[in-house]
Amino acid sequence: MKKFRVAVVGAMGAVGREMLKTLEQRGFPVSEIRPLDIEANAGKKVLYKGQEVTVGVAAKGAFTDVDIALFSAGADASLVLAPIAASEGAVVIDNSSQWRMDPAVPLVVPEVNPDALDSHHGIIANPNCSIIQMVVAVKPIHDAYKIKRIVVATYQAVSGTGGAAMAELTAQAGQFVRGEKIISKVYPRQILFNALPHIDVFLDNGYTKEEMKMVNETKKILDPAISVSPTAVRIAVFRGHSEAVNIETEQPFNLADVRKLLEKAPGVEVMDDPANLVYPTTLDADGKDAVYVGRLRKDPTVPNGLNMWVVGDNLRKGAALNAVQIAEVLVAKGFKPKAR
Ligand SMILES: NC(=O)c1ccc[n+]([C@@H]2O[C@H](COP(=O)([O-])OP(=O)(O)OC[C@H]3O[C@@H](n4cnc5c(N)ncnc54)[C@H](OP(=O)(O)O)[C@@H]3O)[C@@H](O)[C@H]2O)c1
């Protein structure tokens, strides 16, 4: 079997660590793993297959003998380093928002639009975590009944902001227990015991940048004709995003048929038996690959309306797993390691 030299840029971060774990757990054919991060983190160790591997510096020249570079170091790093990595011959799979809406860059969720990969020029974008789990869940419904409009409210975990935000929530819990003043640095307001209707910056139209990502990335991945009306909320959960998704379709549907479609959809698991308290929560999704769907019910206020609750692990399917799956599809489509 062909094996690949894989760099992970941002290897010390929340997503970078999950990428290393995901490559290992899925048995991706790696001949050499190269964790890279900022200079201040160089020399630190990360674990891969039970071995400590030394972190190098992500910089010009670091990608000449790399086949695949998984990036999760933020948009500024991707702006500078992704073109460098691509020019040095690595295929970049980028988790940041930097390249997602570039018309020359495919934005890919393997269960939804794998063939978009055929047009890549060295950089491939991984969508925003909230969008990945939503499009995996709504794709079979769109294929069968054509979705016109989605109204979505998200309940997003602090790990979506990164390692520093997880540390802030932990610290605030400690401050609360000790009766100390609660200190907020990562978020503009206390996140402990709170829900902030504010993810990323506010734009002139009154929406946040995160909300507009949901509008634009859904159109790019799934269908430009779908209207999306989003509200993105950060909540005091460590890991796992939840979404209340309201869908309006062109074609009428029967709820039992929708359930059957979702039950056989790739990447989806239906957890929907409210009478027996079966519905997905973030703790059910923690560390898991699937996108969980529950609370399926018709919306009687519009002609063809559906409500559902969608839960996924933002670090896993929302980031690391989707990136590794993109690499797997590339390999299945014939991508080969560089000649040595
Ligand atoms: N967390 C999620 O659920 C999620 C989901 C989808 C996409 N993403 C995206 O993935 C990226 C990383 O997210 P994260 O949550 O893992 O953040 P994180 O925990 O803050 O980790 C980012 C890592 O990259 C390092 N870094 C910063 N600038 C760098 C540079 N120029 N070169 C190399 N390394 C650099 C950081 O070092 P320092 O911390 O020492 O600066 C840190 O180790 C972001 O673009 C984010 O939007 C995150």
Side-chain angles (χ1 to χ4, degrees):
M1 191 207 275
K2 292 179 192 68
K3 291 194 170 186
F4 300 84
R5 289 163 295 187
V6 179
V8 174
V9 180
M12 296 296 296
V15 175
R17 287 171 191 274
E18 196 66 29
M19 281 172 162
L20 291 164
K21 202 195 292 177
T22 307
L23 286 164
E24 181 180 333
Q25 288 172 341
R26 290 180 73 85
F28 189 82
V30 174
S31 57
E32 186 195 328
I33 194 83
R34 186 169 304 175
L36 302 172
D37 209 285
I38 51 168
E39 202 159 357
N41 288 331
K44 291 183 179 168
K45 309 280 182 193
V46 289
L47 269 187
Y48 179 72
K49 290 194 169 174
Q51 307 283 328
E52 284 196 331
V53 188
T54 305
V55 174
V57 181
K60 199 167 186 292
F63 304 94
T64 50
D65 54 358
V66 166
D67 301 308
I68 298 171
L70 303 176
F71 269 65
S72 66
D76 292 346
S78 291
L79 175 65
V80 177
L81 289 171
I84 290 174
S87 73
E88 291 180 2
V91 171
V92 172
I93 303 173
D94 182 32
N95 259 274
S96 82
S97 58
Q98 183 58 48
W99 301 99
R100 290 180 189 149
M101 294 313 294
D102 186 322
V105 173
L107 182 65
V108 178
V109 178
E111 293 88 342
V112 180
N113 62 340
D115 292 339
L117 283 175
D118 299 342
S119 63
H120 84 81
H121 302 289
I123 302 178
I124 298 158
N126 213 41
N128 172 281
C129 39
S130 304
I131 290 126
I132 294 178
Q133 67 182 63
M134 186 176 83
V135 295
V136 167
V138 305
K139 156 86 171 156
I141 299 166
H142 184 55
D143 287 348
Y145 308 107
K146 202 162 181 17
I147 295 174
K148 287 198 298 193
R149 179 168 184 255
I150 298 173
V151 181
V152 54
T154 70
Y155 305 71
Q156 299 183 218
V158 295
S159 55
T161 313
M166 295 167 84
E168 177 152 303
L169 178 55
T170 307
Q172 289 186 353
Q175 289 153 8
F176 174 80
V177 169
R178 293 189 297 273
E180 295 168 6
K181 181 176 182 304
I182 289 183
I183 298 164
S184 302
K185 286 187 184 151
V186 176
Y187 294 114
R189 305 271 288 270
Q190 176 181 325
I191 186 66
L192 182 74
F193 306 138
N194 213 353
L196 311 182
H198 175 187
I199 299 185
D200 210 327
V201 294
F202 284 101
L203 303 173
D204 289 344
N205 66 359
Y207 285 79
T208 60
K209 203 167 167 191
E210 180 84 355
E211 289 161 348
M212 291 315 295
K213 285 177 195 167
M214 298 202 71
V215 174
N216 298 325
E217 293 184 29
T218 303
K219 286 176 183 287
K220 181 166 175 178
I221 300 162
L222 196 56
D223 188 338
I226 296 179
S227 306
V228 179
S229 181
T231 305
V233 181
R234 185 76 67 196
I235 60 166
V237 157
F238 277 109
R239 192 166 163 148
H241 292 351
S242 306
E243 298 176 340
V245 182
N246 175 271
I247 294 169
E248 221 181 315
T249 62
E250 267 179 23
Q251 308 297 326
F253 60 84
N254 169 307
L255 199 56
D257 291 339
V258 169
R259 190 184 309 274
K260 275 189 213 143
L261 276 178
L262 288 168
E263 278 168 353
K264 58 178 196 227
V268 175
E269 273 199 35
V270 176
M271 280 183 80
D272 190 33
D273 182 8
N276 289 306
L277 304 182
V278 176
Y279 43 76
T281 71
T282 50
L283 294 180
D284 299 307
D286 195 323
K288 306 270 178 51
D289 287 354
V291 171
Y292 294 87
V293 179
R295 299 292 320 279
L296 281 165
R297 61 219 191 270
K298 275 210 151 185
D299 174 0
T301 66
V302 287
N304 304 312
L306 176 75
N307 276 310
M308 59 187 194
W309 180 246
V310 177
V311 181
D313 183 330
N314 54 298
L315 294 179
R316 192 97 187 159
K317 182 57 184 166
L321 172 63
N322 199 71
V324 174
Q325 284 176 312
I326 289 173
E328 289 170 352
V329 177
L330 280 178
V331 174
K333 283 176 175 280
F335 176 70
K336 294 194 174 43
K338 285 190 271 197
R340 295 170 194 224

